[in-house]
Amino acid sequence: MIFHFRKSARAAVFAACSTLSLLGSGLSLHGGNPLPVDWQPEPYLAKPAMESNDPIAGDRALLDAALQTEPPKYPLILDQSATPGGINSTVPNGDPLNHDVVCEDVLGGNVLHGNVLSVGDADRLWLFSTRRITSSSGCADLDMPRFDIDQLNSCGQRSSSSIEDYLASRSEGRRTVVYVHGNRMDAGDVVGRGLTVYRSIAKFRSREPLDWVIFSWPSEQQGILAHDVRLKAQRTDAQGLYLAWLLRHHAESATPTSLIGYSFGARVVTGSLHALAGGSLGGRVLSGPPIVGMNVDAGLVAPAIASNWMNHGGYHSEATKNLGELFLFYNQRDAVLKRYWLIDRVRGQLALGYTGPRSFAPRIDGSKLPVHSRDCAPVVGLQHSELDYYQSPCNAGAGMARLIHSDLVTQ
């Protein structure tokens, strides 16, 4: 893996660390056989401009109602349904990928029975939390962020760890997948959600071991919903910088990396790749020389970012310099993302998770970014609900498995 480094002067003056005004601030919201999955992405075609007239112009009350489409909590559920789409849940050598396990649901107090990928000595599960450090991009420590880090077992039970232990394990060079959740996710629910997504992908995966990192950021609901969503949009800048700091260490240790983000979590993902390449977020740039050509594969589910942010000159325009492939799951019926423009109060601004792919800046070598997309409107409908994307026939889990093991699929 080759990385290209270029020098740039570190920003000389940062914004003073003071109490932020949150209202009216104008926020900018692998050898082997192919994996046994049947998920086929739609071809990447630029979409025509969509109608931007919205009958609820400026009506924040209706936005508040739309934002309540996803329940605030999800239990840790193991999928015991039949394998969707006739997919053969075996690895290339024909051995079963899953087996029965029983463990205590430490989140909900229930005993769980189901088919999940055995973790054991293969996969390692981590929790990185930024919930106890500042979400102000102007005050963020970009030299040594003080993450709270835990290692998890397959039941979600935690054991305290450290950034030193985590970085020391990077020398093995095995793939790491970073999952970033969306808005209104309480600290007590994030492990359950992260493991649910992990298990939704596990049934389609190769047995190649990986590290699964749940990136937990302060997204619990605060205040009325219209205010809450603008506050979280602002926080994604600092979170993108923190994740970029972590990705820099992945690059330096040549760790193969994949990123998965939902809603505002997708905004953190693209922001981190942009910052890693030397781009500015919230007036800050990452310490040290920019890194480009990291060739990260990213999966975005209902991304709450503007559809033009990864265009040339867009707010996250440098992100494509670190992207290998992009997997995009969108919904042209999403009642929340339809009103995305209300976040910045920019009439006609559309969300990438609503429009589907438009156009993107080129990759570092000047080539066109490969984008695999699927409109999941027939499954998800009007909802803004992450787990619905992992149901058949959308099957985001199969798509994410292809993303994680793209080197296995393409060889």
Side-chain angles (χ1 to χ4, degrees), residues 60-69 225:
R60 289 197 297 269
L62 288 182
L63 173 62
D64 289 349
L67 285 168
Q68 299 185 70
T69 56
L225 291 172

Side-chain angles (χ1 to χ4, degrees), residues 10 14 141-144 241 245 248 284-290:
R10 188 175 179 180
F14 295 138
D141 181 354
L142 302 183
D143 294 318
M144 182 58 75
L241 291 165
W245 182 92
R248 169 180 291 281
R284 297 288 301 278
V285 293
L286 197 65
S287 302

Side-chain angles (χ1 to χ4, degrees), residues 117-372:
L117 182 69
S118 175
V119 178
D121 296 327
D123 291 356
R124 293 185 302 229
L125 310 176
W126 303 83
L127 176 67
F128 270 65
S129 176
T130 64
R131 291 177 184 258
R132 296 201 301 176
I133 58 180
T134 181
S135 291
S136 164
S137 56
C139 302
D141 181 354
L142 302 183
D143 294 318
M144 182 58 75
R146 299 180 64 85
F147 299 110
D148 288 324
I149 303 173
D150 293 297
Q151 197 158 2
L152 309 172
N153 66 14
S154 58
C155 298
Q157 295 167 317
R158 308 181 186 188
S159 59
S160 181
S161 188
S162 67
I163 190 62
E164 291 78 15
D165 289 342
Y166 176 82
L167 294 179
S169 70
R170 300 306 91 196
S171 61
E172 299 172 16
R174 70 181 187 177
R175 181 165 297 277
T176 296
V177 181
V178 182
Y179 162 77
V180 189
H181 61 81
N183 189 23
R184 298 199 295 139
M185 182 64 60
D186 292 340
D189 299 326
V190 69
V191 171
R193 175 60 64 87
L195 292 184
T196 298
V197 172
Y198 166 78
R199 288 164 175 158
S200 296
I201 298 169
K203 67 180 79 172
F204 305 111
R205 273 187 46 213
S206 157
R207 279 188 172 179
E208 182 184 7
L210 56 74
D211 281 27
W212 179 269
V213 176
I214 301 170
F215 188 89
S216 175
W217 58 282
S219 60
E220 61 278 357
Q221 182 175 338
Q222 293 186 250
I224 61 172
L225 291 172
H227 165 81
D228 173 74
V229 75
R230 293 189 178 104
L231 172 61
K232 304 310 171 41
Q234 182 188 48
R235 288 182 180 177
T236 58
D237 280 345
Q239 305 310 316
L241 291 165
Y242 291 141
L243 181 53
W245 182 92
L246 184 62
L247 293 180
R248 169 180 291 281
H249 288 277
H250 284 199
E252 292 170 349
S253 61
T255 299
T257 303
S258 302
L259 302 175
I260 296 174
Y262 165 65
S263 193
F264 276 152
R267 188 172 174 138
V268 174
V269 164
T270 58
S272 70
L273 295 172
H274 169 80
L276 186 65
S280 172
L281 292 177
R284 297 288 301 278
V285 293
L286 197 65
S287 302
I291 296 177
V292 297
M294 192 175 172
N295 204 37
V296 171
D297 292 332
L300 308 182
V301 175
I305 65 175
S307 60
N308 61 357
W309 271 18
M310 286 195 286
N311 291 1
H312 179 73
Y315 191 54
H316 289 174
S317 61
E318 301 298 301
T320 57
K321 293 181 179 178
N322 279 310
L323 277 170
E325 293 184 285
L326 179 66
F327 284 63
L328 174 62
F329 298 87
Y330 65 100
N331 176 8
Q332 292 188 323
R333 298 184 61 199
D334 190 309
V336 172
L337 294 182
K338 180 180 180 180
R339 297 164 176 85
Y340 174 87
W341 67 272
L342 289 173
I343 296 176
D344 293 329
R345 301 182 180 91
V346 176
R347 189 68 176 176
Q349 188 178 63
L350 300 171
L352 182 62
Y354 180 71
T355 66
R358 293 293 188 82
S359 63
F360 301 90
R363 295 188 297 179
I364 185 60
D365 61 359
S367 63
K368 183 177 180 180
L369 175 68
V371 180
H372 312 280

